[in-house]
Amino acid sequence: MVREFKFKGYTPEQLQSLSIENLLPLLNSRQRRSLDKRVSTYMTDDKRKLREKVKLAREGKLKGALRTHVRDMIILPDMVGLTIMVHNGKEFAQVAIKAEMIGHYLGEYAITNKRVQHGAPGVGASRSSLYVPLK
């Protein structure tokens, strides 16, 4: 039997029908503080534009991939099911939004660093490498 995902007792369909004001009590304190319109200036122009693009993508009016540099955008229920390209500093990483990601930041899923793979030491790496023949 497959276990159905619920976010604090709500199914993804119920979450999508909630307004942001009704969603706030379900989120953690950091997300609540940043989404609270009375206290915060969370909704910058970039975030507002991304929300509008998400609405257009939901309606099917947006062509192409949804690309953004806004890494500190909190994932909301209306983004579930979309694929968003998030910039990681060098390129755009493809992030498929799932219901389990609600309340997290977009930047958490676009890793900014890679695993370092060291090769052989080059010239100037240490004093002994000065005497390593180049051929």
Side-chain angles (χ1 to χ4, degrees), residues 31-43:
Q31 285 81 5
R32 270 199 314 271
R33 277 189 219 115
S34 33
L35 282 175
D36 193 3
K37 292 178 184 174
R38 294 171 288 144
V39 179
S40 149
T41 57
Y42 171 75
M43 278 305 212

Side-chain angles (χ1 to χ4, degrees), residues 3-15 18 23 25-27:
R3 186 173 176 182
E4 181 183 350
F5 173 77
K6 289 190 176 187
F7 182 79
K8 302 201 178 178
Y10 290 87
T11 63
E13 293 81 24
Q14 292 171 330
L15 286 172
L18 291 177
L23 179 70
L26 302 176
L27 297 174

